[in-house]
Amino acid sequence: MDSIRIGLCGVAVWLVATHAGAQQAAIPGRLVGWGANSWGQAQPPANLGEVRAVSAGFEHSLALRLDGSIVAWGRNDLNQAVVPSWIGPCVAISAGLRHNLAIQADGSVVAWGHDQYGATIVPPGLGACVAISAGEHHSVALRADGTVVAWGAAAYTQVPGGLAGVVEIAAGPTHTYARRADGSLVGWGSDSWQALSGMPGTIGPALGCAVDSHASYALRLDGSLVGWGLGSAGQGGLPQGTWRALDAGLQWCAGLRADYSLEAFGLGQFGQTLTPAGRYSMFSAGGMHGLAIQPSDCDQDGVFDALQLAAGAADCNGNGVLDVCDVSSTTPDCDFDGVPDSCQVFGGANDCNLNGVPDQCDLWNGWSDANGDGVIDACTNDCDADGMSDAIEIAQGFALDCNGNHRPDACDLAAGSSFDLDLDGVPDECFPDCDGDGLDDRVELLQGLASDCDFNQVLDHCDVAAGAADCDGNSMPDACQMAGGVGDCDYNLRLDACDILAGAADLDLDGVLDACQSIGAIACHGDAGCPCGNDGARGSGCGNSFQPHGADIVARGVPSISADTVELEARRLPPFGSVLFFQGQALLAPAPFGDGLRCAGGFVRRLDGLTVAAGRATCPVPGTAPISMLGAVQAGFTHHYQAWYRNAAGFCTPAAFNLTSVVSIQWQP
């Protein structure tokens, strides 16, 4: 929280010498968070992008994007994590307990959030400011002239008279420190725990100052730390060694070491002292969480890329990335000199074919130079004698080179080195040749040398070679044959002939599976007149929610009253549900009924209600009465059998049921 913050003037990684929580600019980078996260305050928003400043409040966080916009997240009970739309581009931010401050591009200070003591009411006539610091119930601003203004809770805003020459401010919950240009420190506000009066007289000129709720800190010229007030020694004492900067959280501190790594000490019950590894340009310690900016160091040499670029490191294309890091598959460096090819070409390297690659690299990569003069042949050749080199024609789109031989296609065809059997002006080798016979697949189709039964632009025998089923080995996918009417009576996506070859019964040798043949006559075809245009296949009922061909019914066995072995089977039903077999004395004209057509009528007798299994059901169930008994049939009469079954709701009509076709059986004694 910005009430416990420190910043250092003169530190190279920050461009403005002010309090760290209100820095105007740091080397940009990605944002990293750690510590308490109960409100999401330590988790930067997704797609935040690079930022140039951060400020960790008590339980919320702020970040300043490169375009000057502010992003806030974390606890938002008093709108502290909602940035008002009227705030323009900013150069500095500071998060307090429940309120925030920002400096806009013109130097004006804005505030939002909530504080009952007036910490969000910016004084009129404040003028242009260069630093801000949000305390717990008060706010502090540093004017461009080095004077300080404070507002909010009266007990903490009594700036000493005559205070001037200030270069840094740090507001704590109940007290504030200012650092003058000469390194001297001046404090005001509450002196609880001797956070003011306990300042040692041996500090000397300070590089920075920080305050928390119970203590104060200073950074000496030699990089060592000194603290005073309650808990200022941290847990186990202040760490020794050299520091670049320090920031105080709620009885914990984080700082940058000489190598720009983060280190923390003090209370750590929420993991706030477990700082992330890496090197950082700016950081902020909040109530019990921390945030830090990690700039790019693409070559991992220990120096931020931005500092290398500022010192003159090469960035030939001006994209903000070191040339040594810019070289990649998308930014090639064909001669491995650490300079992108595009920069060499821009700088004058020969690129006669205008492909963005130096000619020398093209020669290394296989472009021809028959006479060994160091010039790509394509840059001097002019195969069509139009006064423009082949390479330029191709590069500028005046000629095609589909086979990549650096010679216009028209010249390849004129010279006879390529064929164009389909006369489309494009060498045949530029189009697919799936069977590797040297003929463009399109030519094979046009000349009738191959087929493409499914119109997928792939030759049928290539489909088969790629795994398409061809059970009869005729190089045509089975799916095409079935679509063309070749038998698959049981709809198992396998040709009947192949099923028979594999052992399926065909006792009458008619090429139709016995399992598909039925005693009796099939009627009530669903291939026309279905209720919702859901016409099925001839021999089946209307299409259902599972099978567009519709469900059918077949009968097998001996239709004899004295030796009844008749078995009715309903097939291609929805996989699960119920089915009812029924018998009619009359065969009626097809009439819409539910999602299907009903034809079995007259005196109707229910035979059995069953559960569908794998899209099928058989009546009678083994061990139960035979059909002749269930239907009380008489010899010499023809009865008509149909099955009613459940269909998906909303498929066709609201009825949610359908019917099979009909099988008519004449019964014998």
Side-chain angles (χ1 to χ4, degrees):
M1 135 179 107
D2 213 71
S3 56
I4 35 181
R5 190 72 68 241
I6 190 170
L8 303 179
C9 68
V11 178
V13 296
W14 290 321
L15 305 184
V16 177
T18 58
H19 164 49
Q23 293 304 313
Q24 290 182 319
I27 296 177
R30 71 183 187 95
L31 189 58
V32 177
W34 72 95
N37 196 40
S38 56
W39 298 90
Q41 66 268 35
Q43 181 62 51
N47 303 319
L48 177 62
E50 289 195 333
V51 299
R52 59 173 177 163
V54 292
S55 185
F58 182 62
E59 291 175 319
H60 72 288
S61 301
L62 301 179
L64 185 63
R65 285 193 170 119
L66 302 186
D67 63 1
S69 62
I70 300 172
V71 179
W73 66 97
R75 185 168 182 172
N76 192 41
D77 54 332
L78 296 172
N79 289 325
Q80 65 267 41
V82 176
V83 182
S85 60
W86 47 264
I87 294 180
C90 294
V91 296
I93 51 176
S94 181
L97 179 68
R98 295 287 186 270
H99 77 288
N100 306 298
L101 302 174
I103 299 178
Q104 298 187 112
D106 61 359
S108 61
V109 175
V110 294
W112 73 97
H114 176 76
D115 184 78
Q116 65 268 40
Y117 297 98
T120 59
I121 303 174
V122 179
L126 178 62
C129 294
V130 296
I132 45 178
S133 187
E136 184 172 305
H137 296 301
H138 70 292
S139 301
V140 184
L142 175 62
R143 288 188 174 123
D145 62 2
T147 60
V148 177
V149 178
W151 63 96
Y156 316 135
T157 57
Q158 303 303 311
V159 180
L163 180 61
V166 174
V167 295
E168 179 186 354
I169 51 177
T174 59
H175 71 289
T176 301
Y177 265 97
R179 183 173 63 87
R180 294 190 180 103
D182 62 2
S184 61
L185 302 179
V186 178
W188 65 92
S190 172
D191 192 30
S192 298
W193 314 108
Q194 296 185 313
L196 295 174
S197 61
M199 182 172 64
T202 57
I203 295 177
L207 283 176
C209 56
V211 295
D212 70 14
S213 56
H214 301 88
S216 304
Y217 301 87
L219 181 64
R220 292 188 174 108
L221 291 176
D222 62 1
S224 63
L225 301 178
V226 61
W228 57 97
L230 180 65
S232 61
Q235 293 184 344
L238 292 176
Q240 301 301 305
T242 302
W243 297 79
R244 287 183 177 272
L246 186 74
D247 197 3
L250 186 60
Q251 294 188 327
W252 71 284
C253 293
L256 280 182
R257 285 294 194 173
D259 62 354
Y260 298 102
S261 63
L262 281 172
E263 187 175 327
F265 58 91
L267 297 181
Q269 68 272 40
F270 294 98
Q272 61 266 45
T273 56
L274 302 176
T275 54
R279 300 170 60 257
Y280 300 86
S281 63
M282 183 180 183
F283 65 98
S284 179
M288 289 169 285
H289 75 289
L291 301 170
I293 297 176
Q294 187 174 38
S296 172
D297 178 16
C298 68
D299 54 1
Q300 298 183 350
D301 63 351
V303 181
F304 298 136
D305 296 345
L307 294 181
Q308 294 190 63
L309 292 172
D315 174 23
C316 66
N317 52 16
N319 66 350
V321 180
L322 301 179
D323 286 348
V324 293
C325 300
D326 212 3
V327 173
S328 65
S329 59
T330 56
T331 310
D333 175 23
C334 66
D335 53 5
F336 306 104
D337 64 352
V339 180
D341 295 342
S342 57
C343 292
Q344 294 192 53
V345 171
F346 184 77
N350 290 331
D351 177 25
C352 69
N353 54 9
L354 305 181
N355 67 348
V357 179
D359 292 346
Q360 184 59 55
C361 293
D362 281 335
L363 293 173
W364 291 340
N365 290 328
W367 287 63
S368 64
D369 176 20
N371 58 11
D373 64 354
V375 180
I376 296 170
D377 290 341
C379 292
T380 56
N381 293 340
D382 180 16
C383 67
D384 53 6
D386 64 353
M388 182 179 292
S389 73
D390 297 344
I392 298 299
E393 287 191 67
I394 293 170
Q396 296 189 351
F398 297 123
L400 298 177
D401 177 26
C402 71
N403 54 17
N405 68 350
H406 315 306
R407 178 181 172 92
D409 293 342
C411 293
D412 287 335
L413 296 175
S417 58
S418 293
F419 296 100
D420 181 21
L421 297 179
D422 54 0
L423 304 179
D424 64 351
V426 180
D428 293 338
E429 69 265 21
C430 295
F431 292 95
D433 176 20
C434 67
D435 51 9
D437 63 358
L439 287 179
D440 173 357
D441 292 347
R442 300 178 311 152
V443 172
E444 293 193 64
L445 292 173
L446 287 171
Q447 296 186 355
L449 302 176
S451 60
D452 178 21
C453 67
D454 53 4
F455 304 103
N456 67 346
Q457 306 302 314
V458 179
L459 305 186
D460 290 339
H461 59 273
C462 292
D463 279 333
V464 171
D470 177 26
C471 67
D472 55 3
N474 66 351
S475 296
M476 180 177 289
D478 294 345
C480 289
Q481 294 183 258
M482 289 184 282
V486 178
D488 176 26
C489 69
D490 55 357
Y491 296 96
N492 68 347
L493 301 180
R494 183 178 171 88
L495 301 181
D496 293 342
C498 296
D499 285 333
I500 292 170
L501 287 173
D506 177 24
L507 297 179
D508 55 4
L509 303 178
D510 64 352
V512 180
L513 303 180
D514 292 346
C516 293
Q517 295 178 298
S518 175
I519 61 171
I522 303 298
C524 205
H525 303 288
D527 58 351
C530 291
C532 306
N534 55 321
D535 296 345
R538 189 162 185 80
S540 300
C542 297
N544 59 48
S545 57
F546 175 72
Q547 176 55 261
H549 294 288
D552 67 356
I553 186 170
V554 294
R556 305 182 190 90
V558 179
S560 169
I561 295 174
S562 60
D564 180 8
T565 61
V566 171
E567 177 184 82
L568 302 175
E569 183 181 14
R571 307 179 304 184
R572 295 190 289 278
L573 306 169
F576 307 101
S578 57
V579 59
L580 171 66
F581 289 88
F582 63 95
Q583 170 188 287
Q585 281 187 326
L587 182 63
L588 308 177
F593 187 50
D595 293 351
L597 301 174
R598 179 180 173 184
C599 300
F603 182 77
V604 175
R605 187 182 296 272
R606 169 179 171 152
L607 301 180
D608 202 358
L610 303 170
T611 299
V612 177
R616 296 171 177 260
T618 303
C619 178
V621 175
T624 63
I627 295 296
S628 58
M629 185 177 294
L630 292 173
V633 302
Q634 297 179 8
F637 287 89
T638 297
H639 294 279
H640 312 280
Y641 299 90
Q642 196 166 13
W644 173 101
Y645 62 91
R646 285 290 181 189
N647 196 28
F651 167 72
C652 181
T653 70
F657 65 83
N658 206 327
L659 296 103
T660 65
S661 51
V662 169
V663 60
S664 300
I665 302 175
Q666 184 176 23
W667 287 90
Q668 305 300 320

